[in-house]
């Protein structure tokens, strides 16, 4: 990150924490046109494609919302630690993770990489899949 993201970090955090399908239209205020985004399920480049990833989140999950719990920033980048809450089916989920951000010279996000453990944070909480994962974990630990 060549631009001082920490100067605009509070505005970006506020945008993430109040994200709605309508506010996705303001993504260009924070992201560069050629931004790159990666999470455990997606790896895409381009503002419009990233916007579609977030739009899909609103289409498939009930009441998704991020809460930034901590942040670390300097002239080289920023890391946001967050909790992501959403509903799916009759269950409510909590996923904890972090986003590594870098900006271009204009201060817009150029690089956004999310880190979170899909096995621990998501798959283990799905009833049948979770039982299978616990069984595998016990068997592997016994070796």
């Amino acid at each position: 990150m060549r631009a001082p993201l920490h100067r605009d970090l509070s505005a970006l955090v506020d945008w993430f924490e109040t994200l709605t399908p309508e506010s996705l239209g303001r993504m260009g205020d924070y992201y560069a046109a050629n931004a790159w985004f990666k999470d455990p399920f997606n790896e895409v480049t381009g503002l419009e494609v990233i916007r579609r990833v977030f739009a899909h989140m609103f289409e498939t999950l009930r009441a998704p919302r991020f809460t930034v719990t901590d942040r670390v920033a300097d002239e080289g980048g920023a890391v946001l630690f967050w909790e992501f809450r959403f509903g799916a089916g009759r269950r409510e989920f909590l996923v904890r993770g972090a986003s590594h951000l870098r900006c271009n010279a204009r201060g817009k996000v150029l690089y956004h990489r999310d880190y979170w453990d899909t096995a621990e944070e998501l798959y283990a909480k799905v009833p049948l899949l979770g039982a299978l994962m616990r069984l595998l974990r016990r068997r592997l630990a016994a070796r």
Side-chain angles (χ1 to χ4, degrees):
M1 179 173 74
R2 289 166 284 197
L5 175 65
H6 62 275
R7 177 176 57 211
D8 301 313
L9 189 56
S10 291
L12 179 62
V13 167
D14 183 58
W15 181 75
F16 277 128
E17 290 187 326
T18 59
L19 200 59
T20 65
E22 296 76 27
S23 68
L24 288 176
R26 294 193 344 256
M27 184 175 270
D29 295 348
Y30 303 99
Y31 281 73
N34 61 337
W36 177 82
F37 172 85
K38 181 173 175 53
D39 69 8
F41 300 111
N42 303 281
E43 182 173 356
V44 297
T45 301
L47 177 63
E48 292 307 315
V49 183
I50 297 169
R51 189 184 334 242
R52 283 197 299 269
V53 169
F54 280 84
H56 183 259
M57 171 187 74
F58 283 106
E59 293 164 5
T60 57
L61 303 176
R62 187 177 62 254
R65 63 201 174 280
F66 291 93
T67 302
V68 175
T69 58
D70 201 2
R71 60 185 92 174
V72 178
D74 65 14
E75 65 280 351
V79 176
L80 304 178
F81 299 92
W82 43 260
E83 294 180 347
F84 178 51
R85 296 175 190 277
F86 63 93
R90 291 183 288 194
R91 299 199 52 202
E92 298 294 321
F93 291 88
L94 168 64
V95 173
R96 291 180 178 92
S99 297
H100 181 202
L101 307 173
R102 293 185 191 144
C103 285
N104 63 16
R106 297 183 62 215
K108 294 193 176 188
V109 175
L110 187 59
Y111 172 98
H112 177 156
R113 173 120 191 221
D114 283 351
Y115 295 93
W116 55 280
D117 184 347
T118 55
E120 177 184 351
E121 298 289 349
L122 190 59
Y123 298 148
K125 297 173 184 174
V126 175
L128 293 175
L129 199 52
L132 177 62
M133 290 183 66
R134 286 187 292 279
L135 175 66
L136 288 172
R137 190 178 318 146
R138 282 194 299 272
R139 289 198 177 177
L140 291 172
R143 289 185 169 190

